[in-house]
Amino acid sequence: TGLYTSGNGLGMFDRQTNTLTRWAPPPGGSQLAIPTWQSGNSIFVTEHPPSRLHEFDLATSTWKPSLQLPAGGWPVEAYCDASTGDLFVTLYSTDQIAIIRDSAVLGTPPTPVQSGPAFCVALNGKVWFSYWLSPQLGELDVASGVFTTYNLPVSGGGGPIDVGPNGHVYLGMRGSGHIVEFDPKTGLMTPHSIPPGASNLKDGLTVAPDGTVWFTSSSGGNVVRLTLQ
């Protein structure tokens, strides 16, 4: 986890020993935000205001050279496509998706909807991302550079997103009380209700290998599990 508000770098919680390990931020880094794994030992962490992406080598516990992203971009989250090794970063303030390959920015195509791309997930050459200010799901085909926009079946701003073992995309809708399940092959969207007390689904969502969806309730202080039949 990025120890964002404390400015204390990168943290790792070990569930077996109930301990937290903290690594100091990289040179010039301060408020580390959202980390993501890449294949191997690399962890990439966004830093919002200076618009940078930091790479941490878990094997050596050292920071590699940071990557500067477009000025004023406010990078939210990076995600690695395990099938290609490419990294993608949502740039909220400039409405762009940064494509990173071999530690270099390959391109920063603008999103067709200017509503703040927020969270993203990637698989098999496609990137899906939420819009913070719009009830829509974005899709980028990396090879062709073509964007597709899908209108969501519930209102509210988009939040965290992940892809499940079935290839479906799961998107948390902030304040709407729903998680939307999207099947990229058929285009079918299915909204799943979540408890009223957990409706402020702001930042955290992940799909476990067994297909259950885990998410955070920012206002309730809970981690919630959604089991789909």
Side-chain angles (χ1 to χ4, degrees):
T1 180
L3 301 175
Y4 181 69
T5 55
S6 63
N8 282 329
L10 181 67
M12 180 183 71
F13 178 70
D14 189 320
R15 189 162 58 95
Q16 293 183 337
T17 62
N18 202 37
T19 57
L20 178 73
T21 300
R22 184 189 72 84
W23 293 281
S30 56
Q31 293 181 311
L32 302 189
I34 301 175
T36 186
W37 287 88
Q38 194 189 31
S39 56
N41 291 305
S42 288
I43 299 174
F44 289 88
V45 192
T46 55
E47 189 176 11
H48 300 322
S51 197
R52 287 184 296 195
L53 185 66
H54 304 291
E55 181 178 0
F56 182 74
D57 188 328
L58 190 59
T60 61
S61 297
T62 57
W63 293 98
K64 295 185 177 181
S66 300
L67 185 64
Q68 184 65 53
L69 297 168
W74 193 274
V76 178
E77 179 183 38
Y79 197 93
C80 176
D81 185 338
S83 63
T84 65
D86 289 344
L87 273 168
F88 304 92
V89 185
T90 46
L91 301 177
Y92 171 82
S93 295
T94 54
D95 295 297
Q96 295 170 299
I97 304 294
I99 303 172
I100 300 170
R101 184 176 298 166
D102 298 327
S103 301
V105 179
L106 188 66
T108 53
T111 59
V113 180
Q114 306 293 288
S115 293
F119 298 90
C120 66
V121 68
L123 185 67
N124 297 328
K126 287 194 175 182
V127 185
W128 295 277
F129 56 94
S130 62
Y131 287 102
W132 190 255
L133 303 174
S134 174
Q136 293 170 304
L137 172 69
E139 178 185 276
L140 169 63
D141 184 286
V142 180
S144 65
V146 173
F147 282 93
T148 304
T149 303
Y150 301 93
N151 293 322
L152 297 169
V154 294
S155 61
I161 189 171
D162 199 9
V163 62
N166 58 0
H168 292 190
V169 176
Y170 296 85
L171 170 62
M173 300 296 294
R174 298 188 342 273
S176 75
H178 292 89
I179 291 174
V180 176
E181 178 181 357
F182 171 65
D183 184 344
K185 291 184 177 180
T186 65
L188 180 65
M189 289 196 178
T190 305
H192 300 283
S193 298
I194 59 177
S199 62
N200 190 15
L201 205 178
K202 178 178 176 289
D203 286 327
L205 182 150
T206 188
V207 184
D210 64 358
T212 56
V213 182
W214 295 80
F215 62 95
T216 58
S217 170
S218 298
S219 56
N222 300 314
V223 175
V224 187
R225 181 182 65 187
L226 171 66
T227 303
L228 303 175
Q229 302 299 323

